[in-house]
Amino acid sequence: MAREIEFEVQGMTCASCVGRVERALQGLAGVERASVNLATERASVVYDPDQVAPDAIVRAVRERGYDVAVREWDLGIGGMTCASCVARVERALRAIPGVVDVNVNLATERAHIHAVAGAVDRAAIAAVIAKIGYEPIVDDDGAGGEGVSGRELALARMKRDVGRAALLSVPVLIVSMGSVFIPGVAGLLSYVAPRNVWSWLEAVLTTGILFGPGLRFFRPGWIAYRHVSPDMNSLVMTGTGAAWAYSLLVLVWPHAFPVAARHLYFDSAAVIITVILFGKYLEELAKGRTGAAISGLLNLQAKTARRLLIDGEEEVLIAQLVVGDRVRVRPGEHIPVDGVVDKGESYVNESMLTGEPMPVAKRAGDRVVGGTVNQQGMLEVRASGIGSDTVLAQIVRSVSRAQGSKLPIQGLADRVVRVFTPVVLGLALLTFAGWLFFEGSSGLTMALVSAVAILVVACPCAMGLATPAAIMVGTGRAAQLGVLYRKGEALEGLSHVDMVVLDKTGTLTQGRPRLTDVMAKGGGRKEFLAWVAGAEQASEHPLAVAVMQAAQEEGVVPVDVEGFEAVPGHGVRAQRAGHRLLVGTGPFLVAEGLDIAAYEAEARMWAAQGKTVVYAGYDQEVRGVLAIADPVRAEARALVQALHNRALRVVIMSGDSKGATAGLAAYLGIDQYEAEILPDGKARAVEALQRQGHKVAFVGDGINDAPALAQADVGIALSSGTAIAIEAADVTVTGKLEAIVVAIDLARRTLAVIRGNLFWAFFYNLILIPLAAGIFYPRFGIGLNPMLAGLAMGFSSVFVLSNSLRLRGFRAVDLKAEAVVRPSPAALLPLGPKL
């Protein structure tokens, strides 16, 4: 059946644009009709969803150079219990015209939806969720701020249902099985009332359980059957419903059954519902703990602030503040907004951003970040970022986005879940028929017990939770340690890398170069430095900044120049009174026709010390040479050692000279390096490594290295302070180098936990389904009681969640301790060719 969507097309300016967009849309297989209106800047498309998806329509418009406005929605979903539920919700939401992509997460119980702006709204999405039997939880906080109270409410309801089910099932157990455990119970019951009365009491109480607390399984289970997509609820409903209906028929019409088959299974139905409810309650408790990191971040947000007025101050909610307001922060309080200190001095604990325990001094003009803690003095702060615009909010969104991601490793589980429930239903039916076929009417009891046990034990809950639960805990713990995964896929990618490429400046070094040596012709240092500084004063290059800083410290006034021209990656040209000034690399001056031979000995010596050499020419003569060094970070050698300890090859990449780069590589123990490389060349160098078969992680500053970060299998951007939430790479870490190792270690640990979870989920079903079917009963007398099946089903989910929660205990590596205790095996690695 054809569908129609309307959406906004941005960037059209004339009728030709309209024609281009229409032709692009009409050229798609499956598009029946497409019309574009320039005045309204909207397109209307009628398409066959079986042949073309909305994301293909959007992509076709974008490939022609125009854009389609896409909105992102976040909704909570109540009532999901297993991976089949996730698949049902995703299918239903993807069927909404205008929805481009959907990602439903069982662990967070949220859906992240990409939809064409104007084609669908939140109410329509919520209506679809409700229609298929789940509960839409609509809130305005994409990070899940309102989801905390919603989870607490759901947990309270679950606890209430568990209590009611337990209260009703205890009498059922006493009546049906009390005599097995307590001698004399059967006689006491017979003395009080006939057996038939107690049987009817079992029926009434069990009915109350199934259609009271058990309705949370029956209602969505029935809806799932109606939509021909049975799920875990359907299995529970079928198993317990069959036991209840069979027992009721035996009670009402006993003569219709053989004497050997006149058993009542009210106790099984009642206890199964109670046990599964209890298991789901434990699961909800564990889910709450998996989201503890997000809750902890949200708790850092101040709820109120003291806004300064002309005649005093007033306490207001954060939502009432606007950019430009001044707020007062007392000692011990969380700073409520991002902003700049207007007045006051204090020390602020920024450990939640940087991981550094030492407080940072703040005074007028310094930036502060919302969520950090003012420790000593009074501060008056002018707000520049409020609410969702703060760094903390960006971090929460980043972590939430990563937690809602699906990893490639989950693809196997998704494919299995798609057919799992129908297969289980088929197995239960075959088991029932098989026992009847081989045992006749005497096997009716075993047939029913085995079929119910299969339906109850074979729940895909653990499969649905295996990946998202581990991602939630892993990414949450990472955020606490200063590592932000922009998307969950980075976890899996980082766990597979075998090579780490490190940018030199600002990564291995402090990023603040200083002038260390000057050799001028004739010994006129100050005069030489004056005109070099004059040539460099218009440049923003870090080396130019080092020259200007040295001139300022020595009291040298830069000369005035004209005709300044920067040659990226090489140097600068300028004019002074008709004379040409050149400052830059050796090859740059040689290309300009100057001879650098007189200074090559000093240049080689400085380069061997890891310093960058800069030549300076006046007209057609080299007048001197300078050495600039960017101090190496204290923990750089320990970082390289730690990476080698993890069997990772390390490459250094720099725009500096070969001598300087080789010297630093030798000092740090790095096996490969690439020198004199321009920013756009870094991406090509990374691509060359990938063609050699390496999985590459590139570490840079996230700005100048953007092409290389994008090219790498995983890009890791180093940042500090308020820049922690940048999204220039797949992973963003604090300025501390140990965070790089934390990111890699935590990715490997998380993937190991996911593999363990998936193995348990599959292995559990492979073992217990045959046991429940009674395959081992004829030879060994071993079977699986439906009540124990319910307990086992709940245990599988709790196990997966508990296994994931182990990631909360992950500790950051101590680079210094590791460098001392564990000698590097780098020398044992094959060096391979230089890049």
Side-chain angles (χ1 to χ4, degrees), residues 153-225:
L153 182 61
L155 196 60
R157 290 174 179 167
M158 181 79 74
K159 185 177 181 180
R160 179 200 63 197
D161 285 348
V162 170
R164 290 176 177 175
L167 188 66
L168 294 175
S169 60
V170 167
V172 175
L173 268 179
I174 292 174
V175 170
S176 62
M177 303 184 68
S179 58
V180 176
F181 301 104
I182 306 174
V185 169
L188 179 62
L189 292 176
S190 300
Y191 178 77
V192 174
R195 174 63 195 171
N196 198 47
V197 172
W198 296 114
S199 298
W200 277 105
L201 178 63
E202 284 186 68
V204 171
L205 293 176
T206 303
T207 303
I209 292 172
L210 265 62
F211 298 100
L215 267 183
R216 65 171 59 241
F217 301 116
F218 277 65
R219 187 182 292 115
W222 175 245
I223 293 174
Y225 271 132

Side-chain angles (χ1 to χ4, degrees), residues 582-672:
L582 296 170
V583 181
T585 65
F588 173 58
L589 267 69
V590 169
E592 294 289 328
L594 278 68
D595 184 5
I596 64 173
Y599 299 92
E600 283 189 332
E602 287 78 11
R604 283 195 296 270
M605 178 183 67
W606 291 339
Q609 298 171 2
K611 299 176 181 179
T612 300
V613 180
V614 177
Y615 294 85
Y618 190 86
D619 285 337
Q620 290 301 113
E621 181 183 5
V622 177
R623 294 294 185 91
V625 65
L626 309 92
I628 298 171
D630 185 1
V632 178
R633 293 191 184 212
E635 69 271 33
R637 293 185 73 175
L639 167 69
V640 175
Q641 176 83 49
L643 294 175
H644 280 153
N645 287 344
R646 286 153 179 77
L648 293 167
R649 294 188 63 85
V650 183
V651 179
I652 184 173
M653 206 168 278
S654 174
D656 283 348
S657 66
K658 287 185 178 179
T661 307
L664 180 61
Y667 171 73
L668 296 177
I670 293 177
D671 18 277
Q672 292 182 239

Side-chain angles (χ1 to χ4, degrees), residues 48-185:
D48 182 351
D50 293 331
Q51 296 186 53
V52 62
D55 60 333
I57 295 172
V58 171
R59 192 163 54 248
V61 174
R62 288 177 172 169
E63 286 174 352
R64 294 302 187 277
Y66 306 97
D67 200 10
V68 176
V70 174
R71 283 206 61 177
E72 294 186 26
W73 306 93
D74 262 317
L75 280 88
I77 302 177
M80 295 192 300
T81 55
C82 65
S84 295
C85 300
V86 171
R88 282 193 64 217
V89 175
E90 286 186 344
R91 285 196 300 271
L93 293 180
R94 284 197 175 99
I96 301 174
V99 170
V100 175
D101 190 29
V102 176
N103 187 6
V104 178
N105 190 305
L106 179 61
T108 60
E109 295 182 324
R110 296 186 71 81
H112 187 70
I113 302 148
H114 292 256
V116 176
V120 65
D121 57 26
R122 193 183 295 240
I125 296 170
V128 168
I129 293 171
K131 184 178 179 181
I132 59 174
Y134 300 97
E135 179 187 0
I137 303 172
V138 181
D139 58 69
D140 296 321
D141 187 352
E146 294 298 322
V148 176
S149 60
R151 180 179 293 279
E152 289 174 351
L153 182 61
L155 196 60
R157 290 174 179 167
M158 181 79 74
K159 185 177 181 180
R160 179 200 63 197
D161 285 348
V162 170
R164 290 176 177 175
L167 188 66
L168 294 175
S169 60
V170 167
V172 175
L173 268 179
I174 292 174
V175 170
S176 62
M177 303 184 68
S179 58
V180 176
F181 301 104
I182 306 174
V185 169

Side-chain angles (χ1 to χ4, degrees), residues 598-790:
Y599 299 92
E600 283 189 332
E602 287 78 11
R604 283 195 296 270
M605 178 183 67
W606 291 339
Q609 298 171 2
K611 299 176 181 179
T612 300
V613 180
V614 177
Y615 294 85
Y618 190 86
D619 285 337
Q620 290 301 113
E621 181 183 5
V622 177
R623 294 294 185 91
V625 65
L626 309 92
I628 298 171
D630 185 1
V632 178
R633 293 191 184 212
E635 69 271 33
R637 293 185 73 175
L639 167 69
V640 175
Q641 176 83 49
L643 294 175
H644 280 153
N645 287 344
R646 286 153 179 77
L648 293 167
R649 294 188 63 85
V650 183
V651 179
I652 184 173
M653 206 168 278
S654 174
D656 283 348
S657 66
K658 287 185 178 179
T661 307
L664 180 61
Y667 171 73
L668 296 177
I670 293 177
D671 18 277
Q672 292 182 239
Y673 67 88
E674 176 80 13
E676 297 178 357
I677 184 169
L678 301 179
D680 58 348
K682 292 180 182 179
R684 290 194 293 272
V686 169
E687 186 180 9
L689 291 170
Q690 291 170 322
R691 284 199 298 269
Q692 295 173 19
H694 292 293
K695 295 291 184 182
V696 179
F698 183 91
V699 184
D701 62 12
I703 302 171
N704 298 330
D705 302 312
L709 287 165
Q711 176 63 43
D713 295 282
V714 180
I716 302 177
L718 276 176
S719 65
S720 60
T722 58
I724 193 170
I726 64 171
E727 296 186 5
D730 303 308
V731 184
T732 302
V733 301
T734 61
K736 298 198 304 181
L737 293 185
E738 69 180 36
I740 298 170
V741 183
V742 168
I744 294 170
D745 284 353
L746 196 47
R748 290 179 173 182
R749 280 278 299 278
T750 302
L751 262 293
V753 168
I754 289 173
R755 293 188 191 100
N757 286 348
L758 289 173
F759 171 80
W760 169 259
F762 288 121
F763 180 76
Y764 158 86
N765 282 292
L766 285 174
I767 294 298
L768 291 188
I769 288 178
L771 186 64
I775 289 177
F776 305 108
Y777 189 80
R779 185 176 181 86
F780 304 104
I782 300 174
L784 187 63
N785 184 284
M787 290 183 281
L788 292 177

Side-chain angles (χ1 to χ4, degrees), residues 21-69:
V21 175
E22 283 187 344
R23 286 193 297 275
L25 294 172
Q26 290 167 352
L28 291 173
V31 171
E32 298 178 6
R33 185 173 68 255
S35 60
V36 181
N37 189 307
L38 180 62
T40 60
E41 294 185 319
R42 293 183 69 81
S44 175
V45 181
V46 178
Y47 68 100
D48 182 351
D50 293 331
Q51 296 186 53
V52 62
D55 60 333
I57 295 172
V58 171
R59 192 163 54 248
V61 174
R62 288 177 172 169
E63 286 174 352
R64 294 302 187 277
Y66 306 97
D67 200 10
V68 176

